Amino acid sequence: MTMKTRKAAVLLLGASIALAACSNAKNEPSPSPTAAAPSPQASASVQPSGAAPPAETGGADNAGSGAEAGAVRYFGEWKVTGDVASTPVSAGPDESLIGQEASFSKESARFGDAETANPVYEEKSLTAEQFAQDYRMQLSDLGIEGESAQTVEIKDFAGPSGMFFIKDDSTLLMILDGVFYELSRA
Protein backbone atom coordinates (compact mmCIF):
# COMPACT_ATOMS: atom_id res chain seq x y z
CA MET A 1 0.00 0.00 0.00
CA THR A 2 1.34 3.39 -0.90
CA MET A 3 1.44 6.26 1.52
CA LYS A 4 -1.38 8.09 -0.33
CA THR A 5 -3.59 4.99 -0.28
CA ARG A 6 -2.91 4.50 3.42
CA LYS A 7 -3.83 8.14 4.22
CA ALA A 8 -7.00 7.85 2.15
CA ALA A 9 -7.96 4.64 3.96
CA VAL A 10 -7.39 6.22 7.39
CA LEU A 11 -9.42 9.32 6.43
CA LEU A 12 -12.21 7.15 5.03
CA LEU A 13 -12.25 5.02 8.19
CA GLY A 14 -12.34 8.14 10.42
CA ALA A 15 -15.17 9.68 8.41
CA SER A 16 -17.11 6.41 8.57
CA ILE A 17 -16.77 6.25 12.35
CA ALA A 18 -17.83 9.89 12.75
CA LEU A 19 -20.80 9.40 10.44
CA ALA A 20 -21.87 6.25 12.30
CA ALA A 21 -21.69 8.06 15.65
CA CYS A 22 -23.85 10.92 14.37
CA SER A 23 -26.26 8.47 12.79
CA ASN A 24 -26.66 6.50 16.03
CA ALA A 25 -27.37 9.64 18.05
CA LYS A 26 -30.18 10.64 15.70
CA ASN A 27 -31.69 7.16 15.36
CA GLU A 28 -32.05 6.23 19.02
CA PRO A 29 -35.46 4.67 19.58
CA SER A 30 -37.88 6.93 21.41
CA PRO A 31 -39.33 5.55 24.64
CA SER A 32 -42.79 4.10 24.39
CA PRO A 33 -45.49 6.33 25.86
CA THR A 34 -46.92 5.35 29.21
CA ALA A 35 -49.75 6.71 31.28
CA ALA A 36 -47.42 7.54 34.17
CA ALA A 37 -44.50 9.30 32.50
CA PRO A 38 -45.02 12.08 30.00
CA SER A 39 -42.22 13.01 27.62
CA PRO A 40 -42.45 16.80 27.42
CA GLN A 41 -41.04 18.89 24.60
CA ALA A 42 -39.12 21.41 26.72
CA SER A 43 -37.90 21.32 30.29
CA ALA A 44 -35.89 23.26 32.81
CA SER A 45 -34.66 22.25 36.24
CA VAL A 46 -35.27 24.97 38.74
CA GLN A 47 -34.42 25.59 42.33
CA PRO A 48 -36.96 28.36 42.89
CA SER A 49 -35.58 31.38 44.66
CA GLY A 50 -38.64 33.57 44.69
CA ALA A 51 -37.79 34.85 41.23
CA ALA A 52 -40.51 35.20 38.66
CA PRO A 53 -41.69 31.89 37.22
CA PRO A 54 -40.95 31.02 33.60
CA ALA A 55 -43.08 32.74 30.99
CA GLU A 56 -46.41 31.02 30.47
CA THR A 57 -46.48 28.71 27.48
CA GLY A 58 -50.24 28.51 27.23
CA GLY A 59 -52.85 26.22 28.68
CA ALA A 60 -53.17 27.75 32.12
CA ASP A 61 -55.67 30.42 33.02
CA ASN A 62 -53.99 33.32 34.79
CA ALA A 63 -57.01 35.61 34.99
CA GLY A 64 -57.73 36.80 38.51
CA SER A 65 -54.89 34.77 39.98
CA GLY A 66 -54.10 37.07 42.88
CA ALA A 67 -50.57 35.64 42.99
CA GLU A 68 -47.87 38.01 44.19
CA ALA A 69 -45.41 39.26 41.59
CA GLY A 70 -42.20 37.25 41.83
CA ALA A 71 -43.86 34.31 43.61
CA VAL A 72 -43.59 30.76 42.27
CA ARG A 73 -47.11 29.83 41.15
CA TYR A 74 -47.27 26.44 42.84
CA PHE A 75 -45.65 27.39 46.16
CA GLY A 76 -48.06 27.31 49.06
CA GLU A 77 -50.56 25.10 50.86
CA TRP A 78 -52.85 22.79 48.84
CA LYS A 79 -55.65 20.34 49.55
CA VAL A 80 -56.97 17.47 47.41
CA THR A 81 -60.61 18.34 46.66
CA GLY A 82 -61.60 15.52 44.33
CA ASP A 83 -60.87 13.45 41.23
CA VAL A 84 -61.30 15.15 37.86
CA ALA A 85 -60.70 12.54 35.17
CA SER A 86 -59.18 9.12 34.55
CA THR A 87 -57.00 7.77 31.77
CA PRO A 88 -58.35 4.79 29.82
CA VAL A 89 -56.19 2.56 32.02
CA SER A 90 -56.58 3.49 35.68
CA ALA A 91 -56.98 1.90 39.07
CA GLY A 92 -60.03 4.06 39.78
CA PRO A 93 -60.26 6.97 42.22
CA ASP A 94 -58.79 6.56 45.69
CA GLU A 95 -61.24 8.33 47.98
CA SER A 96 -58.71 8.29 50.85
CA LEU A 97 -56.73 11.00 49.02
CA ILE A 98 -59.61 13.49 49.27
CA GLY A 99 -58.78 16.00 51.98
CA GLN A 100 -55.05 15.20 52.01
CA GLU A 101 -52.87 18.29 52.32
CA ALA A 102 -49.76 19.23 50.38
CA SER A 103 -47.24 22.04 50.69
CA PHE A 104 -44.60 23.17 48.19
CA SER A 105 -41.84 25.67 48.95
CA LYS A 106 -38.14 26.28 48.40
CA GLU A 107 -37.37 24.58 51.70
CA SER A 108 -39.60 21.50 51.42
CA ALA A 109 -42.16 19.54 49.42
CA ARG A 110 -44.79 17.66 51.44
CA PHE A 111 -47.81 15.53 50.64
CA GLY A 112 -49.47 13.89 53.62
CA ASP A 113 -46.67 12.22 55.59
CA ALA A 114 -44.14 12.22 52.73
CA GLU A 115 -41.69 15.12 52.84
CA THR A 116 -38.48 16.12 51.06
CA ALA A 117 -36.17 18.91 52.22
CA ASN A 118 -34.65 21.31 49.66
CA PRO A 119 -36.59 19.89 46.71
CA VAL A 120 -35.56 20.42 43.10
CA TYR A 121 -38.53 21.35 40.90
CA GLU A 122 -38.33 20.61 37.18
CA GLU A 123 -40.79 22.58 35.07
CA LYS A 124 -41.79 21.26 31.65
CA SER A 125 -44.14 22.31 28.90
CA LEU A 126 -46.19 19.42 27.55
CA THR A 127 -47.89 19.96 24.19
CA ALA A 128 -51.53 18.98 23.75
CA GLU A 129 -50.41 16.45 21.13
CA GLN A 130 -47.84 14.85 23.46
CA PHE A 131 -50.38 14.82 26.32
CA ALA A 132 -52.89 13.00 24.10
CA GLN A 133 -50.24 10.48 23.09
CA ASP A 134 -48.99 9.89 26.65
CA TYR A 135 -52.33 9.83 28.47
CA ARG A 136 -54.77 8.89 25.68
CA MET A 137 -57.02 11.81 26.53
CA GLN A 138 -57.22 15.55 25.81
CA LEU A 139 -56.04 18.48 27.93
CA SER A 140 -59.61 19.78 27.74
CA ASP A 141 -60.68 16.66 29.70
CA LEU A 142 -58.81 18.26 32.62
CA GLY A 143 -60.25 21.72 31.99
CA ILE A 144 -57.00 22.97 30.46
CA GLU A 145 -57.58 24.93 27.26
CA GLY A 146 -54.77 25.73 24.85
CA GLU A 147 -51.98 24.00 23.01
CA SER A 148 -49.85 23.04 26.02
CA ALA A 149 -49.77 22.60 29.77
CA GLN A 150 -47.07 23.27 32.32
CA THR A 151 -45.97 20.35 34.48
CA VAL A 152 -43.76 20.32 37.54
CA GLU A 153 -41.81 17.28 38.67
CA ILE A 154 -40.25 17.19 42.12
CA LYS A 155 -36.99 15.26 41.85
CA ASP A 156 -36.43 12.51 44.45
CA PHE A 157 -39.88 12.98 46.00
CA ALA A 158 -41.60 9.81 47.20
CA GLY A 159 -45.04 11.36 47.70
CA PRO A 160 -47.94 10.81 45.32
CA SER A 161 -47.81 14.39 44.05
CA GLY A 162 -44.22 14.11 42.79
CA MET A 163 -45.48 15.35 39.41
CA PHE A 164 -48.36 17.73 38.84
CA PHE A 165 -49.93 19.95 36.19
CA ILE A 166 -50.58 23.65 36.77
CA LYS A 167 -54.19 24.31 35.74
CA ASP A 168 -54.23 27.89 37.07
CA ASP A 169 -52.86 29.82 40.05
CA SER A 170 -55.46 28.25 42.36
CA THR A 171 -55.54 24.70 40.97
CA LEU A 172 -53.00 21.93 40.50
CA LEU A 173 -53.72 18.49 39.04
CA MET A 174 -51.78 15.41 40.09
CA ILE A 175 -51.99 11.96 38.56
CA LEU A 176 -51.85 8.76 40.55
CA ASP A 177 -52.60 5.31 39.13
CA GLY A 178 -54.17 6.86 36.03
CA VAL A 179 -56.52 9.18 37.96
CA PHE A 180 -56.15 12.98 37.93
CA TYR A 181 -56.89 14.64 41.28
CA GLU A 182 -57.52 18.34 41.80
CA LEU A 183 -55.56 20.24 44.45
CA SER A 184 -56.97 23.62 45.45
CA ARG A 185 -55.18 26.32 47.40
CA ALA A 186 -55.84 25.88 51.10
Side-chain angles (χ1 to χ4, degrees):
M1 234 186 204
T2 67
M3 187 64 143
K4 281 186 175 182
T5 308
R6 206 177 254 171
K7 278 186 177 180
V10 168
L11 286 174
L12 185 58
L13 179 62
S16 296
I17 291 172
L19 185 57
C22 289
S23 175
N24 284 341
K26 292 180 182 176
N27 291 329
E28 290 180 10
S30 59
S32 61
T34 63
S39 47
Q41 300 297 319
S43 67
S45 289
V46 293
Q47 181 67 35
S49 61
E56 190 59 37
T57 56
D61 177 14
N62 292 322
S65 67
E68 295 179 27
V72 178
R73 294 174 66 190
Y74 47 87
F75 278 6
E77 302 293 320
W78 301 88
K79 188 173 191 172
V80 179
T81 55
D83 59 286
V84 178
S86 297
T87 63
V89 179
S90 72
D94 181 352
E95 297 300 320
S96 69
L97 290 174
I98 309 303
Q100 289 281 326
E101 295 179 351
S103 174
F104 305 112
S105 70
K106 180 180 177 182
E107 293 79 25
S108 70
R110 180 185 52 78
F111 186 92
D113 295 333
E115 186 168 4
T116 298
N118 301 313
V120 175
Y121 298 90
E122 184 176 79
E123 299 177 8
K124 301 175 184 180
S125 179
L126 186 65
T127 66
E129 180 180 321
Q130 189 63 49
F131 179 85
Q133 182 180 6
D134 290 347
Y135 295 100
R136 297 180 181 95
M137 55 190 298
Q138 304 300 311
L139 282 173
S140 60
D141 295 334
L142 301 178
I144 299 174
E145 300 302 325
E147 295 302 314
S148 65
Q150 185 174 6
T151 66
V152 178
E153 182 179 350
I154 307 169
K155 297 296 183 180
D156 301 321
F157 185 67
S161 62
M163 196 278 287
F164 54 85
F165 292 81
I166 299 174
K167 181 176 179 181
D168 57 45
D169 288 339
S170 300
T171 314
L172 303 178
L173 299 167
M174 72 171 196
I175 185 169
L176 182 63
D177 296 329
V179 178
F180 286 91
Y181 296 90
E182 184 173 86
L183 285 81
S184 298
R185 278 204 188 271

PDB file of all heavy atoms in Angstrom, residues 3 12 15 24 34 62 77 85 93 113 115 118 121 124 145-146 152-153 160 166 181 183:
ATOM      1  N   MET A   3       1.717   5.307   0.445  1.00  0.00           N
ATOM      2  CA  MET A   3       1.444   6.259   1.515  1.00  0.00           C
ATOM      3  C   MET A   3       0.131   6.997   1.258  1.00  0.00           C
ATOM      4  O   MET A   3      -0.651   7.216   2.188  1.00  0.00           O
ATOM      5  CB  MET A   3       2.616   7.243   1.620  1.00  0.00           C
ATOM      6  CG  MET A   3       2.493   8.162   2.797  1.00  0.00           C
ATOM      7  SD  MET A   3       2.554   7.202   4.299  1.00  0.00           S
ATOM      8  CE  MET A   3       3.449   8.273   5.328  1.00  0.00           C
ATOM      9  N   LEU A  12     -10.924   7.778   5.311  1.00  0.00           N
ATOM     10  CA  LEU A  12     -12.208   7.150   5.030  1.00  0.00           C
ATOM     11  C   LEU A  12     -12.733   6.428   6.268  1.00  0.00           C
ATOM     12  O   LEU A  12     -13.923   6.519   6.605  1.00  0.00           O
ATOM     13  CB  LEU A  12     -12.084   6.181   3.849  1.00  0.00           C
ATOM     14  CG  LEU A  12     -13.368   5.536   3.365  1.00  0.00           C
ATOM     15  CD1 LEU A  12     -14.377   6.592   2.958  1.00  0.00           C
ATOM     16  CD2 LEU A  12     -13.098   4.607   2.205  1.00  0.00           C
ATOM     17  N   ALA A  15     -13.896   9.089   8.824  1.00  0.00           N
ATOM     18  CA  ALA A  15     -15.169   9.677   8.409  1.00  0.00           C
ATOM     19  C   ALA A  15     -16.314   8.703   8.634  1.00  0.00           C
ATOM     20  O   ALA A  15     -17.407   9.090   9.047  1.00  0.00           O
ATOM     21  CB  ALA A  15     -15.103  10.105   6.941  1.00  0.00           C
ATOM     22  N   ASN A  24     -26.111   7.187  14.856  1.00  0.00           N
ATOM     23  CA  ASN A  24     -26.661   6.500  16.031  1.00  0.00           C
ATOM     24  C   ASN A  24     -27.326   7.468  16.986  1.00  0.00           C
ATOM     25  O   ASN A  24     -28.350   7.167  17.584  1.00  0.00           O
ATOM     26  CB  ASN A  24     -25.565   5.727  16.770  1.00  0.00           C
ATOM     27  CG  ASN A  24     -25.182   4.456  16.049  1.00  0.00           C
ATOM     28  OD1 ASN A  24     -25.935   3.968  15.215  1.00  0.00           O
ATOM     29  ND2 ASN A  24     -24.011   3.940  16.357  1.00  0.00           N
ATOM     30  N   THR A  34     -46.226   6.024  28.121  1.00  0.00           N
ATOM     31  CA  THR A  34     -46.924   5.346  29.211  1.00  0.00           C
ATOM     32  C   THR A  34     -47.860   6.340  29.868  1.00  0.00           C
ATOM     33  O   THR A  34     -47.711   7.538  29.733  1.00  0.00           O
ATOM     34  CB  THR A  34     -45.940   4.823  30.278  1.00  0.00           C
ATOM     35  OG1 THR A  34     -45.281   5.960  30.855  1.00  0.00           O
ATOM     36  CG2 THR A  34     -44.929   3.865  29.689  1.00  0.00           C
ATOM     37  N   ASN A  62     -54.585  32.445  33.795  1.00  0.00           N
ATOM     38  CA  ASN A  62     -53.992  33.319  34.793  1.00  0.00           C
ATOM     39  C   ASN A  62     -54.920  34.437  35.226  1.00  0.00           C
ATOM     40  O   ASN A  62     -54.558  35.249  36.050  1.00  0.00           O
ATOM     41  CB  ASN A  62     -52.701  33.943  34.236  1.00  0.00           C
ATOM     42  CG  ASN A  62     -51.629  32.914  34.062  1.00  0.00           C
ATOM     43  OD1 ASN A  62     -51.508  32.016  34.881  1.00  0.00           O
ATOM     44  ND2 ASN A  62     -50.852  33.019  33.011  1.00  0.00           N
ATOM     45  N   GLU A  77     -49.817  26.205  50.239  1.00  0.00           N
ATOM     46  CA  GLU A  77     -50.561  25.105  50.860  1.00  0.00           C
ATOM     47  C   GLU A  77     -51.681  24.672  49.914  1.00  0.00           C
ATOM     48  O   GLU A  77     -52.394  25.512  49.373  1.00  0.00           O
ATOM     49  CB  GLU A  77     -51.146  25.548  52.195  1.00  0.00           C
ATOM     50  CG  GLU A  77     -50.107  26.039  53.196  1.00  0.00           C
ATOM     51  CD  GLU A  77     -49.174  24.940  53.671  1.00  0.00           C
ATOM     52  OE1 GLU A  77     -49.664  23.808  53.889  1.00  0.00           O
ATOM     53  OE2 GLU A  77     -47.968  25.209  53.826  1.00  0.00           O
ATOM     54  N   ALA A  85     -60.612  13.379  36.360  1.00  0.00           N
ATOM     55  CA  ALA A  85     -60.700  12.538  35.166  1.00  0.00           C
ATOM     56  C   ALA A  85     -59.788  11.331  35.355  1.00  0.00           C
ATOM     57  O   ALA A  85     -58.926  11.322  36.231  1.00  0.00           O
ATOM     58  CB  ALA A  85     -60.279  13.322  33.923  1.00  0.00           C
ATOM     59  N   PRO A  93     -60.549   5.955  41.192  1.00  0.00           N
ATOM     60  CA  PRO A  93     -60.264   6.966  42.217  1.00  0.00           C
ATOM     61  C   PRO A  93     -60.016   6.353  43.592  1.00  0.00           C
ATOM     62  O   PRO A  93     -60.639   5.370  43.966  1.00  0.00           O
ATOM     63  CB  PRO A  93     -61.537   7.823  42.235  1.00  0.00           C
ATOM     64  CG  PRO A  93     -62.209   7.554  40.941  1.00  0.00           C
ATOM     65  CD  PRO A  93     -61.850   6.154  40.561  1.00  0.00           C
ATOM     66  N   ASP A 113     -47.820  12.503  54.732  1.00  0.00           N
ATOM     67  CA  ASP A 113     -46.668  12.223  55.591  1.00  0.00           C
ATOM     68  C   ASP A 113     -45.341  12.219  54.841  1.00  0.00           C
ATOM     69  O   ASP A 113     -44.289  12.174  55.457  1.00  0.00           O
ATOM     70  CB  ASP A 113     -46.848  10.868  56.290  1.00  0.00           C
ATOM     71  CG  ASP A 113     -48.023  10.868  57.258  1.00  0.00           C
ATOM     72  OD1 ASP A 113     -48.372  11.956  57.773  1.00  0.00           O
ATOM     73  OD2 ASP A 113     -48.605   9.791  57.490  1.00  0.00           O
ATOM     74  N   GLU A 115     -42.298  13.799  52.889  1.00  0.00           N
ATOM     75  CA  GLU A 115     -41.692  15.124  52.837  1.00  0.00           C
ATOM     76  C   GLU A 115     -40.255  15.023  52.356  1.00  0.00           C
ATOM     77  O   GLU A 115     -39.541  14.077  52.669  1.00  0.00           O
ATOM     78  CB  GLU A 115     -41.736  15.798  54.214  1.00  0.00           C
ATOM     79  CG  GLU A 115     -41.261  17.223  54.188  1.00  0.00           C
ATOM     80  CD  GLU A 115     -41.583  17.981  55.471  1.00  0.00           C
ATOM     81  OE1 GLU A 115     -42.116  17.386  56.425  1.00  0.00           O
ATOM     82  OE2 GLU A 115     -41.295  19.184  55.496  1.00  0.00           O
ATOM     83  N   ASN A 118     -35.369  20.671  50.767  1.00  0.00           N
ATOM     84  CA  ASN A 118     -34.654  21.307  49.657  1.00  0.00           C
ATOM     85  C   ASN A 118     -34.960  20.638  48.320  1.00  0.00           C
ATOM     86  O   ASN A 118     -34.053  20.180  47.623  1.00  0.00           O
ATOM     87  CB  ASN A 118     -33.148  21.313  49.932  1.00  0.00           C
ATOM     88  CG  ASN A 118     -32.816  22.054  51.207  1.00  0.00           C
ATOM     89  OD1 ASN A 118     -33.301  23.151  51.438  1.00  0.00           O
ATOM     90  ND2 ASN A 118     -31.997  21.442  52.047  1.00  0.00           N
ATOM     91  N   TYR A 121     -37.334  21.353  41.735  1.00  0.00           N
ATOM     92  CA  TYR A 121     -38.527  21.348  40.902  1.00  0.00           C
ATOM     93  C   TYR A 121     -38.099  21.446  39.433  1.00  0.00           C
ATOM     94  O   TYR A 121     -37.302  22.306  39.089  1.00  0.00           O
ATOM     95  CB  TYR A 121     -39.428  22.535  41.240  1.00  0.00           C
ATOM     96  CG  TYR A 121     -39.944  22.524  42.662  1.00  0.00           C
ATOM     97  CD1 TYR A 121     -39.217  23.145  43.686  1.00  0.00           C
ATOM     98  CD2 TYR A 121     -41.139  21.916  42.982  1.00  0.00           C
ATOM     99  CE1 TYR A 121     -39.696  23.138  44.987  1.00  0.00           C
ATOM    100  CE2 TYR A 121     -41.622  21.916  44.291  1.00  0.00           C
ATOM    101  CZ  TYR A 121     -40.895  22.531  45.283  1.00  0.00           C
ATOM    102  OH  TYR A 121     -41.361  22.528  46.570  1.00  0.00           O
ATOM    103  N   LYS A 124     -41.773  21.706  33.044  1.00  0.00           N
ATOM    104  CA  LYS A 124     -41.793  21.260  31.655  1.00  0.00           C
ATOM    105  C   LYS A 124     -43.063  21.763  30.978  1.00  0.00           C
ATOM    106  O   LYS A 124     -44.088  21.908  31.620  1.00  0.00           O
ATOM    107  CB  LYS A 124     -41.770  19.734  31.568  1.00  0.00           C
ATOM    108  CG  LYS A 124     -40.571  19.095  32.211  1.00  0.00           C
ATOM    109  CD  LYS A 124     -40.669  17.594  32.189  1.00  0.00           C
ATOM    110  CE  LYS A 124     -39.505  16.970  32.935  1.00  0.00           C
ATOM    111  NZ  LYS A 124     -39.587  15.517  32.930  1.00  0.00           N
ATOM    112  N   GLU A 145     -57.384  24.523  28.650  1.00  0.00           N
ATOM    113  CA  GLU A 145     -57.579  24.931  27.256  1.00  0.00           C
ATOM    114  C   GLU A 145     -56.241  25.426  26.722  1.00  0.00           C
ATOM    115  O   GLU A 145     -55.442  25.974  27.458  1.00  0.00           O
ATOM    116  CB  GLU A 145     -58.640  26.025  27.162  1.00  0.00           C
ATOM    117  CG  GLU A 145     -59.997  25.609  27.690  1.00  0.00           C
ATOM    118  CD  GLU A 145     -60.596  24.386  26.996  1.00  0.00           C
ATOM    119  OE1 GLU A 145     -60.388  24.218  25.780  1.00  0.00           O
ATOM    120  OE2 GLU A 145     -61.265  23.593  27.683  1.00  0.00           O
ATOM    121  N   GLY A 146     -56.002  25.247  25.448  1.00  0.00           N
ATOM    122  CA  GLY A 146     -54.771  25.734  24.848  1.00  0.00           C
ATOM    123  C   GLY A 146     -53.978  24.603  24.229  1.00  0.00           C
ATOM    124  O   GLY A 146     -54.419  23.447  24.203  1.00  0.00           O
ATOM    125  N   VAL A 152     -44.853  20.155  36.584  1.00  0.00           N
ATOM    126  CA  VAL A 152     -43.763  20.319  37.538  1.00  0.00           C
ATOM    127  C   VAL A 152     -43.481  18.948  38.128  1.00  0.00           C
ATOM    128  O   VAL A 152     -44.389  18.278  38.627  1.00  0.00           O
ATOM    129  CB  VAL A 152     -44.128  21.317  38.664  1.00  0.00           C
ATOM    130  CG1 VAL A 152     -42.985  21.429  39.665  1.00  0.00           C
ATOM    131  CG2 VAL A 152     -44.480  22.675  38.085  1.00  0.00           C
ATOM    132  N   GLU A 153     -42.228  18.537  38.040  1.00  0.00           N
ATOM    133  CA  GLU A 153     -41.807  17.285  38.666  1.00  0.00           C
ATOM    134  C   GLU A 153     -40.878  17.625  39.817  1.00  0.00           C
ATOM    135  O   GLU A 153     -39.985  18.466  39.681  1.00  0.00           O
ATOM    136  CB  GLU A 153     -41.076  16.394  37.665  1.00  0.00           C
ATOM    137  CG  GLU A 153     -40.665  15.070  38.266  1.00  0.00           C
ATOM    138  CD  GLU A 153     -39.946  14.161  37.279  1.00  0.00           C
ATOM    139  OE1 GLU A 153     -39.936  14.469  36.078  1.00  0.00           O
ATOM    140  OE2 GLU A 153     -39.396  13.152  37.732  1.00  0.00           O
ATOM    141  N   PRO A 160     -47.122  11.013  46.511  1.00  0.00           N
ATOM    142  CA  PRO A 160     -47.940  10.808  45.315  1.00  0.00           C
ATOM    143  C   PRO A 160     -48.028  12.028  44.409  1.00  0.00           C
ATOM    144  O   PRO A 160     -48.367  11.899  43.247  1.00  0.00           O
ATOM    145  CB  PRO A 160     -49.311  10.437  45.867  1.00  0.00           C
ATOM    146  CG  PRO A 160     -49.308  10.900  47.269  1.00  0.00           C
ATOM    147  CD  PRO A 160     -47.891  10.899  47.733  1.00  0.00           C
ATOM    148  N   ILE A 166     -50.055  22.383  36.291  1.00  0.00           N
ATOM    149  CA  ILE A 166     -50.585  23.646  36.774  1.00  0.00           C
ATOM    150  C   ILE A 166     -51.786  23.993  35.902  1.00  0.00           C
ATOM    151  O   ILE A 166     -51.641  24.253  34.712  1.00  0.00           O
ATOM    152  CB  ILE A 166     -49.535  24.773  36.704  1.00  0.00           C
ATOM    153  CG1 ILE A 166     -48.328  24.414  37.575  1.00  0.00           C
ATOM    154  CG2 ILE A 166     -50.157  26.101  37.136  1.00  0.00           C
ATOM    155  CD1 ILE A 166     -47.183  25.394  37.471  1.00  0.00           C
ATOM    156  N   TYR A 181     -56.253  14.057  40.093  1.00  0.00           N
ATOM    157  CA  TYR A 181     -56.885  14.641  41.276  1.00  0.00           C
ATOM    158  C   TYR A 181     -56.638  16.144  41.276  1.00  0.00           C
ATOM    159  O   TYR A 181     -55.569  16.611  40.887  1.00  0.00           O
ATOM    160  CB  TYR A 181     -56.305  14.033  42.559  1.00  0.00           C
ATOM    161  CG  TYR A 181     -56.578  12.577  42.709  1.00  0.00           C
ATOM    162  CD1 TYR A 181     -55.688  11.628  42.208  1.00  0.00           C
ATOM    163  CD2 TYR A 181     -57.727  12.121  43.344  1.00  0.00           C
ATOM    164  CE1 TYR A 181     -55.943  10.269  42.327  1.00  0.00           C
ATOM    165  CE2 TYR A 181     -57.992  10.768  43.477  1.00  0.00           C
ATOM    166  CZ  TYR A 181     -57.088   9.850  42.967  1.00  0.00           C
ATOM    167  OH  TYR A 181     -57.341   8.507  43.101  1.00  0.00           O
ATOM    168  N   LEU A 183     -56.039  19.644  43.212  1.00  0.00           N
ATOM    169  CA  LEU A 183     -55.560  20.236  44.449  1.00  0.00           C
ATOM    170  C   LEU A 183     -55.892  21.721  44.379  1.00  0.00           C
ATOM    171  O   LEU A 183     -55.536  22.396  43.415  1.00  0.00           O
ATOM    172  CB  LEU A 183     -54.038  20.086  44.600  1.00  0.00           C
ATOM    173  CG  LEU A 183     -53.520  18.697  44.987  1.00  0.00           C
ATOM    174  CD1 LEU A 183     -53.455  17.789  43.776  1.00  0.00           C
ATOM    175  CD2 LEU A 183     -52.167  18.818  45.627  1.00  0.00           C
TER     176      LEU A 183
END
